[in-house]
Amino acid sequence: MADREDRDGVVVYWRPLCPFCMHLRTRLRLARLRHTEVNIWRDPEAAAFVRLVADGNETVPTVTVADRPMVNPSMGELMEAVRTHAPHVLSKDG
């Protein structure tokens, strides 16, 4: 599961072979948005968290922004949440 220090930032819960996860993770890297990635297939506690916030399903990507969960957010929804709740993770360049 994500460390305590990650709770003020962005955490992406993902799993291998998920095309939605690959797309979002690539977009986050291109945006140079600081984030932590957690593979739910390697972290049972993270998988349980995703099920808790996704109506019992392991729907990924699930993202937390300053400890606020979002299930399968669009990049626009995610960036709006970051600007509102975690602006410190935005790149200084853009």
Side-chain angles (χ1 to χ4, degrees), residues 2-94:
D3 293 332
R4 181 76 182 142
E5 66 188 45
D6 295 327
R7 292 186 180 185
D8 289 334
V10 176
V11 180
V12 178
Y13 297 89
W14 68 284
R15 64 175 166 74
L17 305 177
C18 168
F20 304 106
C21 297
M22 287 186 263
H23 180 73
L24 182 64
R25 291 166 65 211
T26 298
R27 300 257 338 250
L28 289 172
R29 287 185 195 112
L30 290 173
R32 296 190 349 225
L33 184 73
R34 289 184 310 187
H35 65 284
T36 300
E37 297 181 356
V38 180
N39 178 344
I40 68 167
W41 283 0
R42 291 195 173 172
D43 188 331
E45 192 176 320
F49 170 75
V50 169
R51 288 191 302 273
L52 178 70
V53 300
D55 296 323
N57 300 303
E58 288 186 359
T59 305
V60 288
T62 290
V63 181
T64 58
V65 176
D67 221 17
R68 293 166 176 81
M70 305 173 75
V71 178
N72 197 17
S74 69
M75 189 64 175
E77 292 168 330
L78 177 55
M79 292 306 292
E80 181 60 30
V82 167
R83 284 189 290 274
T84 301
H85 303 292
H88 61 280
V89 301
L90 294 170
S91 170
K92 301 295 183 207
D93 298 340

